[in-house]
Amino acid sequence: MDINGSAVQSQSGLPSPCPRDRLLSPDSDMDVQGYKWVRWRVWLCRLAAVLSLGLLLVVFHWRPRLAVLARCCSCPLALADILLIRDSFDQRHVVEVLTVEMEDGSVELLGELEDNEWRDTVQLHKEEKTLLRYYLFEGLRYIWMARKGAFCRVSILNENWTRKDLYDFQKGLSHLEQSSRRRMYGPNLIDVPVKPYIRLLFEEVLNPFYVFQVFSIILWMVDRYYLYAICIFLISVFSIVFSLYEIRKQSITLRNMAQFVTNVTVRRNSGVEECVSSEELVPGDCLIIPQEGLLLPCDAALLAGECLVNESMLTGESVPMLKTPLPTGEGRYSSETERRHTLFCGTQLIQAKGGGSDAVAVVTSTGFFTAKGSLISSIMHPQPTDFRFYQDSFKFLFLLGFVAFFGSIYSFVVLFRTDVTWLELVIRSLDLVTIAVPPALPAAITTGTIYAQGRLKRQGIFCISPPRINICGKVSLFCFDKTGTLTEEGLDVWGVMEGGTAGFSELVPDPRLLAPGPMLSGLACCHTVTLLQGKPLGDPLELKMVESTGWTLQEPEGDGKELDAEFGGHRVLAVLKPPSGGTTTSEAMAIVRRFPFSSALQRMSVVTVARGGHSPLAFIKGSPEMVASLCRPETVPAQFSSELSRFSSEGLRVLALAYKPVDGNTDLRTIERGEVEKDMRFLGLLMMKNLVKPESAKVIDVLRLANLRSVMVTGDNILTAVNVAKSCGMVGVDEKVIFVNATPHTAQSMPTLNFSLEEGGAPDAQTSIVTRSLYQSGFDLHLAINGKSFAALCNHFPEYLPKVLLRATVFARMAPDQKTQLMKELQKLNYRVGMCGDGANDCGALRAADVGVSLSEAEASVASPFTSKTENISCVPLLIREGRCSLVTSFSLFRYMALYSLIQFCSVLVLYTVRTTLTDWQFLFCDLFVVTPLAIVMGRGGPGEELHPCRPSASLLALPVLGSLLVHTCMIVLGQLAALFITTSQDWYVPLNSTLFGVANLPNMENTSVFSLSAFQYIIMAVVVTKGYPHKKPLFFNWMFLSLLLVLFAVTTWLVLYPGPVGPLFKLHNFIDMDFKMVLVAVAALNFLICFVVEVLVDNGILNCLRALRGKRQSKKQYKRLNTLLCESPSWPPLNQTLSPTEQTVIQCS
């Protein structure tokens, strides 16, 4: 057996509203290596740990992989005690292989119920007892599967369950079955560990930042910097205590949100119903759902009854959904495709209706394998942030360490020539490292994000992933859902048009005016509207549709037997009654079977009966294209396509209805969806007006002026989507729309790809003229593509995909998984992608995007990193402005902290050269009373009022950043040397004692002059590096920062001119010459002027001349390079040409 193995991903993915894929689930593609303990190695490491005074254990804590390699030897996975896991993000994790003893008889029992792989799993180590070998990773349990030669998710045992299997579980599990499954699957808990304070303290203290702090404090204590060391120690203790409190508080908050234990009722195979703890639930348990509902502790497939469910906690969707029983049959069950029949963990069941009894469901997933568990896991273990700013910050720290290394060498040489002791020589050299590498740098750069998060919260935008705030500042493309996001949630019925073999009738503006018949009955019955406390509840579209007919909804009361008897003994779900009075001849109809709407199927259907159980009819409602494809061709009017195009192009939401009589001998309780939804008779079209929100056009215009691309991703008709795109400004009045039509491979035809202009395209003779004008005559083009064409494009025309993505503005009829795939494909082009939706069908896309914004009433749902209570997209520009402000602030703080270290580094080196140093109080004044307050308040202020077309840089190693830092460092050195040389050139200058070194030489003139100028430089650099326009408000808006600057400038000036009683405390030399003191202030003013002018010149591109010398380089971003190539090609897109995958007529992106 090979040593290496893989963690096998279940084929069905996670049963969740959010698809679980490689991007959203870091553990879906892992490399696992096995290791076994070696006793002598373990004892040798223990001895080395003692001899190194615990230093080896600290290294092992930082690098667990080294601990495994040092203590273990590699072995096959089947024999491993320890596993080394490398996830899809190339991060290493160490986990321990655990075992659990299985009960006698459970092996044979489970072998009958599960896949044969289970026998091999438990019989691998069958000695005196049967053991199950498994490990836990990010909450998920992986069990050893001998035939696969790998550890697999325990969910693999139930991922191939069919609908028939689930209905077989309806009889319940025995106690032995339940106990065995509980040992195998583990407890039904989403366990968020809350570490005790002692462990948190241990882990926090071993953080490299605090280890460096401890090293620094010990060094300062040895050097007798007692006061400074004590202050830093107290600050570190306060920081640690605050950090521990925040970490534990967040863990408790997440645990309270995640962990839920309640009592539930389950059915046993004996028929007895037992009340058990939800912690004991396992896949296969038959769950009895009470009529009053409950908060669901697991994922379950609904088998009997109907449930009204509030899923806002998971999806952000505030409208409750009606869940219906899972259809029977042999088909494989998947919670993703059967969402309308699946009850998800963490959702609130408002009420359950079982037709006189309780609703029944079968548990399909528990713990972290549930929908809620997946989302909680994504919060606990977020994917690594691939953001250049964070990557460059660590590289920059190494650069400062490199500077410290050379500074230490210089100080060693200088001090060696002064005949100091070896202890002092080492201490002084190491002290420079603590000065050049500021340990507070990582903490300082987060203050801008903290301020931005607070401002966003006050604006009704909640964030569960603060690092993504900075990423908002680099967003280059924003995707928007249509319904409820760009357009109003509510719809108004615009009209109805009946259709048949003779064509379409006249448009009827009010459904009440329809003659009694199937069309009116279909509008009244084909929906999932339900009653809650007597009020209709459901999808806004269906509510408007039912309301427009004037029919009233009635639901069974009590056991519902009276209504059942009234309608022929069928189990009645709801009754629709026509309005009383008038001349209507319609009769009441009862809904006896529902197949709810599915985004993947683009339709829903119902089966109804009249009183006495007569005249059973099936109705279907959905997208016109889908409904027409399910109808008998002769019943679809010849004008179907033209009428649909006409209404859709006017921006109307168009739905089609169809019906058919059902054979009276059919058992309506068991009839399958496929049987209902075929050979239908076309009824007509329902048009609904969906108005664009007034804020949408304004926001899209703001984004367009800021050079941010806007894209629409919707499940609606492509023509309706294009009309909305024009209404909200995504597509300009003079801009062209080109439809992309791709067909998949079929038995009769090869895949094809075609680009055609809207409104029928252009004649062949004009094609080249129109194409040329799109680029050369000022016209911009927008591509529009639907979900089917997008799938065919990805599968058969991957070489065209980047070009289509670059120009596409409208993606219509997109399924939820296609929206997620689109986010990832756009990211492959190096776009920073934002997504704004309602959180329901967009859940996967919201989490896959770099910045996901859910418009939801929930304060902080886990559907996306950001949740906005604003019901329109006006939150998007605000979020981007805050992101840019936070990013610019982080840049300013990083540069300031680096320059602060370099100022102090230069001061110490200059003073070492002349055999003196800074005092404790001088260090304290600079670090605690100048730099720390400035760094804290520098991030205040707020974002600029407008979005600027130019985005802020995210690279700390870019030429402008490094160039300005180099110039400022030179000015710092020159300023301090100027102060020193001006002092030594004075007539009254008295050289210090050359036989003494350090504090023994204090006070002296050199120390006082260098310290005085450096104190000004800390304030100068705070002003110079603080950026304002265009991404941040000007400096004077940050009144706290401005006030602090003025106070510190006044205090520093006072220290220079009139030190008074503070002079002896700071050990400052008392200069009598006032002119000399004024010269020092003048040198500081000149230093400020030069640095400020240099910064302004750098901001305005003075260093671009250096880039001109190296020649023009291509952008590193693929979408920019591709855009340049396409703009130079007048032959793309090839209009009105049918392309096949074999034709190489595309532009290859080099």
Side-chain angles (χ1 to χ4, degrees):
M1 183 183 292
D2 187 34
I3 291 175
N4 296 333
S6 299
V8 180
Q9 165 73 6
S10 64
Q11 298 299 313
S12 64
L14 182 77
S16 164
C18 303
R20 184 136 182 162
D21 54 30
R22 180 171 180 173
L23 175 69
L24 300 180
S25 175
D27 59 316
S28 59
D29 184 18
M30 302 186 302
D31 176 65
V32 183
Q33 294 177 308
Y35 291 87
K36 196 171 185 63
W37 294 113
V38 178
R39 190 180 299 273
W40 67 267
R41 287 191 181 187
V42 173
W43 282 104
L44 188 62
C45 286
R46 290 174 180 172
L47 178 61
V50 173
L51 295 177
S52 65
L53 301 179
L55 183 61
L56 182 64
L57 297 180
V58 174
V59 174
F60 284 169
H61 177 75
W62 290 344
R63 290 289 181 269
R65 179 172 176 267
L66 295 180
V68 173
L69 296 177
R71 297 166 174 169
C72 307
C73 65
S74 61
C75 68
L77 289 178
L79 305 174
D81 299 319
I82 296 292
L83 300 177
L84 186 61
I85 299 174
R86 186 180 64 190
D87 62 23
S88 57
F89 302 110
D90 204 32
Q91 293 188 329
R92 304 297 180 101
H93 309 269
V94 176
V95 298
E96 182 181 357
V97 177
L98 306 172
T99 59
V100 62
E101 183 179 356
M102 302 300 292
E103 296 177 349
D104 294 337
S106 63
V107 178
E108 292 73 15
L109 183 63
L110 288 168
E112 297 173 2
L113 295 175
E114 309 295 348
D115 191 277
N116 289 331
E117 305 246 3
W118 168 245
R119 283 184 186 273
D120 298 328
T121 302
V122 297
Q123 288 184 343
L124 178 66
H125 287 273
K126 190 167 185 180
E127 300 168 353
E128 297 181 359
K129 54 187 178 182
T130 304
L131 296 179
L132 169 69
R133 302 180 70 245
Y134 71 96
Y135 71 86
L136 298 174
F137 179 64
E138 295 184 353
L140 302 179
R141 178 176 287 216
Y142 293 78
I143 61 174
W144 173 249
M145 307 292 281
R147 289 189 180 181
K148 293 184 181 293
F151 284 93
C152 308
R153 287 186 178 186
V154 69
S155 60
I156 197 172
L157 299 175
N158 57 279
E159 67 175 6
N160 290 320
W161 280 351
T162 64
R163 297 175 182 177
K164 182 178 181 300
D165 293 332
L166 292 174
Y167 272 96
D168 289 341
F169 284 125
Q170 197 170 4
K171 65 180 182 295
L173 299 176
S174 68
H175 284 283
L176 180 59
E177 289 174 322
Q178 206 276 342
S179 176
S180 300
R181 287 174 182 269
R182 190 163 68 249
R183 290 174 179 267
M184 180 171 57
Y185 286 95
N188 176 32
L189 283 177
I190 303 175
D191 188 22
V192 178
V194 178
K195 300 176 183 177
Y197 279 113
I198 296 297
R199 184 176 175 184
L200 284 175
L201 178 63
F202 177 76
E203 293 179 353
E204 192 73 10
V205 169
L206 289 185
N207 184 297
F209 161 69
Y210 287 113
V211 170
F212 188 60
Q213 286 280 42
V214 170
F215 164 74
S216 302
I217 291 171
I218 293 173
L219 189 66
W220 295 328
M221 293 294 285
V222 173
D223 199 25
R224 288 178 287 187
Y225 282 172
Y226 299 124
L227 187 59
Y228 185 72
I230 290 172
C231 288
I232 296 299
F233 174 77
L234 293 176
I235 291 174
S236 299
V237 169
F238 174 79
S239 176
I240 290 174
V241 170
F242 180 76
S243 178
L244 295 185
Y245 171 76
E246 283 297 316
I247 292 173
R248 189 172 170 86
K249 179 183 175 183
Q250 291 173 7
S251 297
I252 292 174
T253 301
L254 189 59
R255 184 183 63 178
N256 292 339
M257 181 172 66
Q259 191 167 318
F260 174 71
V261 178
T262 186
N263 290 327
V264 294
T265 303
V266 296
R267 179 183 296 162
R268 296 297 178 209
N269 62 347
S270 61
V272 177
E273 295 182 357
E274 292 183 358
C275 182
V276 300
S277 170
S278 60
E279 189 176 349
E280 300 177 9
L281 290 176
V282 294
D285 264 329
C286 182
L287 190 63
I288 307 301
I289 302 173
Q291 293 185 6
E292 64 272 14
L294 79 159
L295 185 63
L296 207 67
C298 60
D299 284 0
L302 185 62
L303 302 185
E306 291 184 339
C307 294
L308 192 62
V309 184
N310 182 354
E311 296 185 337
S312 61
M313 188 271 172
L314 293 183
T315 67
E317 176 60 62
S318 57
V319 178
M321 298 182 66
L322 184 67
K323 304 282 184 169
T324 59
L326 180 73
T328 57
E330 294 289 342
R332 181 167 162 271
Y333 168 79
S334 168
S335 64
E336 180 56 34
T337 57
E338 309 288 357
R339 287 179 54 199
R340 294 304 290 264
H341 313 295
T342 302
L343 307 174
F344 293 107
C345 177
T347 59
Q348 178 66 54
L349 273 64
I350 301 173
Q351 66 177 16
K353 295 173 286 187
S357 61
D358 293 324
V360 176
V362 166
V363 178
T364 56
S365 298
T366 57
F368 278 97
F369 289 99
T370 63
K372 181 180 177 182
S374 171
L375 294 176
I376 295 296
S377 180
S378 68
I379 297 174
M380 294 173 60
H381 313 283
Q383 71 180 69
T385 305
D386 181 21
F387 193 46
R388 191 168 184 179
F389 174 75
Y390 299 129
Q391 296 169 351
D392 286 357
S393 62
F394 289 103
K395 295 177 183 177
F396 201 89
L397 283 176
F398 281 111
L399 183 62
L400 290 176
F402 191 67
V403 172
F405 174 73
F406 280 99
S408 297
I409 294 177
Y410 172 79
S411 66
F412 186 88
V413 173
V414 170
L415 296 175
F416 184 78
R417 296 168 62 182
T418 61
D419 297 326
V420 298
T421 63
W422 277 100
L423 178 61
E424 189 164 8
L425 188 64
V426 172
I427 291 174
R428 295 296 179 201
S429 300
L430 292 177
D431 191 36
L432 275 173
V433 177
T434 68
I435 293 173
V437 182
L441 182 57
I445 61 177
T446 62
T447 57
T449 303
I450 294 171
Y451 284 126
Q453 187 177 9
R455 290 192 296 265
L456 286 171
K457 188 173 182 179
R458 289 192 291 273
Q459 296 284 341
I461 301 175
F462 301 91
C463 174
I464 62 172
S465 180
R468 290 187 184 252
I469 294 177
N470 277 347
I471 299 177
C472 293
K474 292 296 291 182
V475 167
S476 51
L477 179 149
F478 228 100
C479 300
F480 297 93
D481 181 35
K482 183 182 75 70
T483 306
T485 303
L486 292 172
T487 62
E488 299 286 355
E489 185 69 47
L491 299 168
D492 292 319
V493 174
W494 191 79
V496 180
M497 184 179 284
E498 293 187 88
T501 54
F504 282 103
S505 65
E506 293 293 325
L507 180 71
V508 179
D510 186 354
R512 288 182 174 86
L513 302 178
L514 288 172
M519 185 65 182
L520 181 59
S521 300
L523 292 173
C525 298
C526 196
H527 56 79
T528 56
V529 175
T530 186
L531 294 179
L532 180 63
Q533 297 177 352
K535 295 183 179 179
L537 201 64
D539 185 273
L541 181 149
E542 294 184 333
L543 287 172
K544 282 288 184 182
M545 182 182 75
V546 176
E547 180 186 337
S548 69
T549 63
W551 289 42
T552 55
L553 176 67
Q554 178 187 349
E555 290 187 340
E557 297 179 358
D559 57 11
K561 292 182 178 179
E562 292 183 7
L563 273 181
D564 293 351
E566 186 179 347
F567 288 90
H570 295 285
R571 190 173 74 84
V572 175
L573 302 177
V575 175
L576 277 303
K577 296 181 177 179
S580 57
T583 58
T584 178
T585 59
S586 298
E587 58 176 337
M589 303 185 72
I591 302 174
V592 296
R593 195 70 193 273
R594 280 195 186 106
F595 300 98
F597 177 79
S598 165
S599 298
L601 300 177
Q602 300 179 8
R603 62 183 183 270
M604 64 89 57
S605 55
V606 297
V607 178
T608 66
V609 295
R611 295 187 188 277
H614 305 302
S615 307
L617 297 175
F619 293 95
I620 185 173
K621 173 181 96 270
S623 71
E625 303 92 337
M626 179 57 70
V627 171
S629 69
L630 298 172
C631 291
R632 289 157 50 186
E634 66 271 13
T635 67
V636 181
Q639 307 89 351
F640 170 79
S641 297
S642 61
E643 291 295 322
L644 175 60
S645 298
R646 178 168 69 91
F647 290 126
S648 297
S649 61
E650 293 176 6
L652 297 172
R653 178 81 178 271
V654 185
L655 298 174
L657 287 93
Y659 89 110
K660 72 173 182 182
V662 179
D663 187 354
N665 296 322
T666 304
D667 186 354
L668 301 183
R669 293 174 299 176
T670 60
I671 189 171
E672 295 187 5
R673 186 167 193 161
E675 182 65 26
V676 171
E677 297 174 346
K678 70 176 185 179
D679 298 329
M680 306 295 287
R681 300 177 186 178
F682 190 82
L683 278 175
L685 301 175
L686 168 68
M687 280 70 68
M688 307 192 80
K689 188 69 174 177
N690 191 198
L691 299 175
V692 176
K693 293 180 180 178
E695 298 86 2
S696 297
K698 298 175 184 177
V699 171
I700 298 300
D701 186 56
V702 167
L703 298 181
R704 181 180 57 81
L705 293 175
N707 289 336
L708 292 173
R709 185 177 159 201
S710 300
V711 171
M712 183 191 301
V713 187
T714 178
D716 208 343
N717 179 276
I718 192 168
L719 294 175
T720 304
V722 168
N723 180 274
V724 173
K726 291 180 177 180
S727 300
C728 67
M730 283 188 182
V731 178
V733 177
D734 298 327
E735 295 174 338
K736 302 291 183 181
V737 176
I738 296 176
F739 293 100
V740 182
N741 300 297
T743 59
H745 178 79
T746 63
Q748 293 80 23
S749 63
M750 293 291 291
T752 61
L753 177 64
N754 181 267
F755 298 87
S756 59
L757 276 170
E758 62 178 331
E759 301 177 352
D764 293 339
Q766 300 179 8
T767 297
S768 61
I769 299 174
V770 172
T771 305
R772 211 164 38 242
S773 70
L774 291 175
Y775 286 112
Q776 300 174 359
S777 301
F779 288 103
D780 197 3
L781 67 89
H782 299 266
L783 301 184
I785 185 172
N786 61 26
K788 289 183 178 179
S789 295
F790 179 74
L793 189 70
C794 293
N795 294 332
H796 304 292
F797 301 90
E799 68 275 17
Y800 281 91
L801 181 61
K803 291 79 180 173
V804 172
L805 294 178
L806 192 71
R807 293 285 185 258
T809 301
V810 175
F811 293 85
R813 292 286 187 233
M814 296 286 281
D817 59 332
Q818 288 182 315
K819 293 183 180 182
T820 304
Q821 183 182 0
L822 175 62
M823 299 300 110
K824 293 186 284 185
E825 294 296 339
L826 289 169
Q827 288 166 337
K828 289 178 183 177
L829 294 179
N830 304 125
Y831 278 111
R832 283 290 177 189
V833 184
M835 173 70 192
C836 183
D838 58 12
N841 294 331
D842 308 317
C843 177
L846 289 169
R847 298 201 67 83
D850 295 294
V851 177
V853 187
S854 172
L855 305 183
S856 170
E857 288 295 324
E859 181 169 306
S861 85
V862 292
S864 64
F866 296 93
T867 304
S868 173
K869 285 191 173 182
T870 309
E871 296 181 353
N872 54 67
I873 63 173
S874 61
C875 60
V876 171
L878 174 63
L879 189 59
I880 296 175
R881 286 193 291 115
E882 285 288 1
R884 291 183 175 185
C885 175
S886 175
L887 184 58
V888 168
T889 301
S890 297
F891 253 78
S892 298
L893 282 163
F894 196 101
R895 295 174 63 206
Y896 180 62
M897 295 301 290
L899 286 169
Y900 143 66
S901 294
L902 291 172
I903 291 170
Q904 203 166 83
F905 181 73
C906 294
S907 300
V908 173
L909 282 184
V910 169
L911 294 177
Y912 276 5
T913 306
V914 295
R915 307 177 66 87
T916 187
T917 186
L918 294 173
T919 69
D920 251 9
W921 276 102
Q922 289 171 355
F923 275 120
L924 276 176
F925 175 75
C926 297
D927 293 347
L928 299 184
F929 298 105
V930 178
V931 175
T932 301
L934 286 174
I936 290 174
V937 301
M938 188 182 288
R940 296 179 61 88
E945 296 296 332
E946 297 181 355
L947 274 178
H948 196 266
C950 180
R951 289 175 292 147
S953 172
S955 175
L956 284 168
L957 303 180
L959 181 61
V961 178
L962 293 179
S964 66
L965 281 176
L966 180 61
V967 173
H968 294 326
T969 303
C970 292
M971 290 300 104
I972 288 167
V973 176
L974 290 176
Q976 293 184 14
L977 290 177
L980 179 64
F981 292 142
I982 291 172
T983 303
T984 58
S985 65
Q986 299 300 313
D987 296 335
W988 38 257
Y989 169 70
V990 177
L992 48 73
N993 189 346
S994 60
T995 62
L996 300 176
F997 178 82
V999 292
N1001 250 332
L1002 293 171
N1004 59 65
M1005 298 181 182
E1006 292 87 342
N1007 166 276
T1008 303
S1009 58
V1010 172
F1011 166 73
S1012 299
L1013 191 74
S1014 65
F1016 279 115
Q1017 286 177 333
Y1018 295 121
I1019 304 171
I1020 289 169
M1021 290 306 161
V1023 178
V1024 169
V1025 302
T1026 301
K1027 301 293 183 183
Y1029 178 83
H1031 304 302
K1032 194 175 176 183
K1033 288 181 179 178
L1035 179 63
F1036 54 81
F1037 277 92
N1038 189 351
W1039 62 267
M1040 191 175 293
F1041 181 58
L1042 187 61
S1043 301
L1044 185 61
L1045 284 173
L1046 295 175
V1047 170
L1048 289 176
F1049 177 76
V1051 170
T1052 306
T1053 304
W1054 169 67
L1055 275 177
V1056 174
L1057 299 181
Y1058 306 101
V1062 181
L1065 180 65
F1066 280 71
K1067 293 189 178 180
L1068 297 176
H1069 181 82
N1070 186 17
F1071 293 109
I1072 300 175
D1073 190 348
M1074 181 57 70
D1075 292 338
F1076 170 75
K1077 296 179 181 180
M1078 295 303 297
V1079 168
L1080 285 180
V1081 176
V1083 171
L1086 181 62
N1087 197 167
F1088 168 71
L1089 182 63
I1090 295 174
C1091 289
F1092 186 81
V1093 171
V1094 167
E1095 190 69 21
V1096 171
L1097 292 176
V1098 170
D1099 285 345
N1100 285 278
I1102 190 68
L1103 296 180
N1104 288 340
C1105 59
L1106 298 178
R1107 291 178 175 173
L1109 296 176
R1110 75 182 185 190
K1112 188 175 182 180
R1113 291 185 181 179
Q1114 282 191 328
S1115 171
K1116 293 181 181 179
K1117 298 188 182 299
Q1118 188 177 346
Y1119 74 89
K1120 290 185 177 180
R1121 288 156 39 205
L1122 185 58
N1123 183 60
T1124 301
L1125 291 174
L1126 292 185
C1127 288
E1128 295 173 354
S1129 173
S1131 61
W1132 196 90
L1135 293 177
N1136 300 331
Q1137 299 179 32
T1138 301
L1139 307 175
S1140 66
T1142 57
E1143 294 183 13
Q1144 300 298 322
T1145 57
V1146 299
I1147 302 169
Q1148 296 297 332
C1149 180
S1150 59

